[in-house]
């Protein structure tokens, strides 16, 4: 395997760069990559078109569909030239070994790209270096592949309301979420250089998800240029994150009815991507009934965070209609990231459709 001697700062994770992709890696599970790679690795593979597609996988160690999809893509192209150059960044190999999102000693690999709130973190040095290397190659487009917990459809996420971004996302799904927070994510950083999308592929270890992601990568890799015309309105279901729901770090929560500060509904993830009316119940308060979920603005506009959740006779309810995403029953995901998001439909200018 031809390693190129380019490294990130010695104070943080070391970046290994390669100009080929050995056959042996096509059958290595994400959890075993540590046996073959020294750490975060950037592969640059030749193709007919010189402007590469940039793909990131395993920014979260337990979100393995991206790695499996890259393996599937490259298996299908064995013995054939790729339609364009391909750059693949394989991220948190240490967390993949432990099958966790992020190790307790690390800062989240998808919160430390340029624009991060943690610019002094060692991981931020690594991501700046990766972005510099990729930008120097004038990428055609970028794809960041993720999984999530709970019951969610496959959908794309963009950080710019731009037709080229919409065309890229639509190759994966007609459901597209526009978001500007959290910051420090890959798609926001590379989106200043080329069209970029984050794709959410449901829960990990799903063969249909792997196949869907691999087909999408092949379509993006084969795309010669982005169409000049806008997508038809019926081809795009565009939503925007309004607020992020978090459980306070010192609060307890359960899903099984056991007493805690927040006694969340046992099937709360079944609400994801449903159009919910005001009054929809998310759970009940426990303890002294005095704790409150943290409701954080999820966009650059000034959301009235007090208008989203209400507490009625101990019930935790939606105070207005909304569409949730990524509501999760995974306690570790709640602690490391959030309970979920609330969204609204928007038009291509970013205006909330219900306001028209």
């Amino acid at each position: 395997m031809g390693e190129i001697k380019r490294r990130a700062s010695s104070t943080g994770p070391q970046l290994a760069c390669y100009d080929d992709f050995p056959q042996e890696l096509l059958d290595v599970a994400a959890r075993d990559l540590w046996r073959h790679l020294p750490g975060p690795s950037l592969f640059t593979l030749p193709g007919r078109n010189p402007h590469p597609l940039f793909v990131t996988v395993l920014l979260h160690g337990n979100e393995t569909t991206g790695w499996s999809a890259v393996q599937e893509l490259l298996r299908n192209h064995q013995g054939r030239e790729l339609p364009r150059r391909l750059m693949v960044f394989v991220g948190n190999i240490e967390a993949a070994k432990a099958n966790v999102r992020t190790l307790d000693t690390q800062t989240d690999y998808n919160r430390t790209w340029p624009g991060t709130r943690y610019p002094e973190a060692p991981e931020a040095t690594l991501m700046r270096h990766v972005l510099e290397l990729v930008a120097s190659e004038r990428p055609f487009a970028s794809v960041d592949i993720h999984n999530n917990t709970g019951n969610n459809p496959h959908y794309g996420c963009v950080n710019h309301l731009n037709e080229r971004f919409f065309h890229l996302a639509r190759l994966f799904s007609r459901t597209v979420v526009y978001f500007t927070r959290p910051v420090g994510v890959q798609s926001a950083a590379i989106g200043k250089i080329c069209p970029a999308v984050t794709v959410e592929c449901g829960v990990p270890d799903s063969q249909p998800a792997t196949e869907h992601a691999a087909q999408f990568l092949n379509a993006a890799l084969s795309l010669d240029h982005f169409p000049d015309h806008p997508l038809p309105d019926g081809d795009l279901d565009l939503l925007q994150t309004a607020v992020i729901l978090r459980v306070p770090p010192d609060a307890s929560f359960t899903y099984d009815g056991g007493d805690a500060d927040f006694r969340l509904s046992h099937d709360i993830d079944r609400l994801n991507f449903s159009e919910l009316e005001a009054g929809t119940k998310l759970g009940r308060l426990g303890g002294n009934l005095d704790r409150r979920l943290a409701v954080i603005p999820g966009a650059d506009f000034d959301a009235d965070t007090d208008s989203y959740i209400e507490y009625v006779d101990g019930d935790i309810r939606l105070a207005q209609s909304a569409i949730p995403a990524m509501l999760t029953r995974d306690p570790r995901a709640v602690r490391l990231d959030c309970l979920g998001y609330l969204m609204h439909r928007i038009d291509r200018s970013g205006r909330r459709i219900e306001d028209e």
Side-chain angles (χ1 to χ4, degrees):
M1 186 158 60
E3 182 176 353
I4 307 170
K5 301 300 184 180
R6 292 187 292 198
R7 302 281 185 171
S9 166
S10 61
T11 61
Q14 302 298 294
L15 177 67
C17 296
Y18 302 94
D19 57 8
D20 67 352
F21 194 95
Q23 175 113 3
E24 67 189 60
L25 289 183
L26 292 177
D27 297 309
V28 175
R31 65 179 178 273
D32 293 324
L33 278 170
W34 64 276
R35 302 179 187 275
H36 302 265
L37 299 174
S41 299
L42 180 65
F43 295 86
T44 302
L45 309 181
R48 289 192 298 275
N49 192 310
H51 299 296
L53 176 70
F54 176 49
V55 179
T56 52
V57 302
L58 292 177
L59 294 188
H60 297 144
N62 58 354
E63 299 178 15
T64 56
T65 291
W67 172 247
S68 299
V70 167
Q71 291 176 308
E72 183 88 0
L73 174 76
L74 294 179
R75 282 193 207 100
N76 292 338
H77 279 87
Q78 285 188 90
R80 295 185 293 134
E81 185 180 28
L82 293 171
R84 68 168 60 246
R85 293 174 70 212
L86 177 65
M87 300 183 77
V88 179
F89 175 58
V90 184
N92 202 335
I93 290 171
E94 290 183 73
K97 177 183 178 182
N99 193 33
V100 296
R101 175 188 174 101
T102 304
L103 297 180
D104 292 339
T105 56
Q106 298 174 323
T107 306
D108 194 316
Y109 269 43
N110 203 33
R111 300 293 184 269
T112 46
W113 293 79
T116 178
R117 298 186 189 276
Y118 315 104
E120 303 306 318
E123 292 81 5
T125 301
L126 170 67
M127 302 314 167
R128 285 196 299 270
H129 185 52
V130 172
L131 190 64
E132 289 169 0
L133 291 176
V134 174
S136 70
E137 301 294 336
R138 299 174 59 200
F140 168 70
S142 171
V143 175
D144 184 23
I145 305 178
H146 285 265
N147 294 109
N148 47 66
T149 58
N151 183 48
N152 293 280
H154 292 188
Y155 63 98
C157 303
V158 297
N159 305 103
H160 298 269
L161 295 172
N162 178 286
E163 288 296 332
R164 293 191 303 161
F165 288 71
F166 296 154
H167 276 288
L168 178 62
R170 182 61 184 87
L171 289 175
F172 183 72
S173 172
R174 71 182 303 274
T175 302
V176 178
V177 176
Y178 169 63
F179 76 100
T180 54
R181 297 179 189 174
V183 297
V185 299
Q186 186 267 18
S187 56
I190 193 72
K192 296 179 179 179
I193 299 168
C194 65
V197 64
T198 300
V199 295
E200 294 286 349
C201 300
V203 296
D205 302 320
S206 163
Q207 184 58 30
T210 294
E211 292 173 0
H212 185 194
Q215 290 165 3
F216 167 62
L217 289 181
N218 187 64
L221 199 64
S222 303
L223 193 64
D224 180 68
H225 65 280
F226 290 103
D228 296 327
H229 59 81
L231 278 171
D233 288 338
D235 279 5
L236 190 66
D237 187 13
L238 187 61
L239 305 107
Q240 181 174 24
T241 301
V243 295
I244 305 168
L245 303 180
R246 292 199 172 108
V247 173
D250 63 340
S252 59
F253 61 97
T254 61
Y255 297 95
D256 60 4
D259 193 32
D261 294 319
F262 299 97
R263 302 166 64 179
L264 301 168
S265 298
H266 73 279
D267 58 352
I268 194 171
D269 61 326
R270 294 292 172 183
L271 300 176
N272 287 329
F273 284 84
S274 299
E275 298 192 43
L276 303 181
E277 298 296 327
T280 300
K281 183 177 175 180
L282 304 180
R284 284 189 57 80
L285 293 173
N288 295 324
L289 307 183
D290 60 348
R291 299 309 302 265
R292 299 293 183 262
L293 293 172
V295 184
I296 312 299
D300 293 333
F301 60 80
D302 293 326
D304 179 7
T305 56
D306 292 335
S307 71
Y308 280 87
I309 301 293
E310 62 183 1
Y311 303 87
V312 181
D313 297 327
D315 285 348
I316 308 167
R317 296 184 178 274
L318 285 182
Q320 62 171 284
S321 61
I323 302 170
M326 290 197 195
L327 289 174
T328 180
R329 298 184 69 256
D330 183 333
R332 184 172 175 84
V334 173
R335 292 301 189 193
L336 287 175
D337 191 19
C338 66
L339 174 63
Y341 302 83
L342 296 178
M343 309 180 294
H344 300 292
R345 282 195 166 79
I346 60 172
D347 63 22
R348 297 184 196 206
S349 71
R351 184 182 179 187
R352 184 173 167 179
I353 289 177
E354 291 87 343
D355 294 339
E356 293 183 343

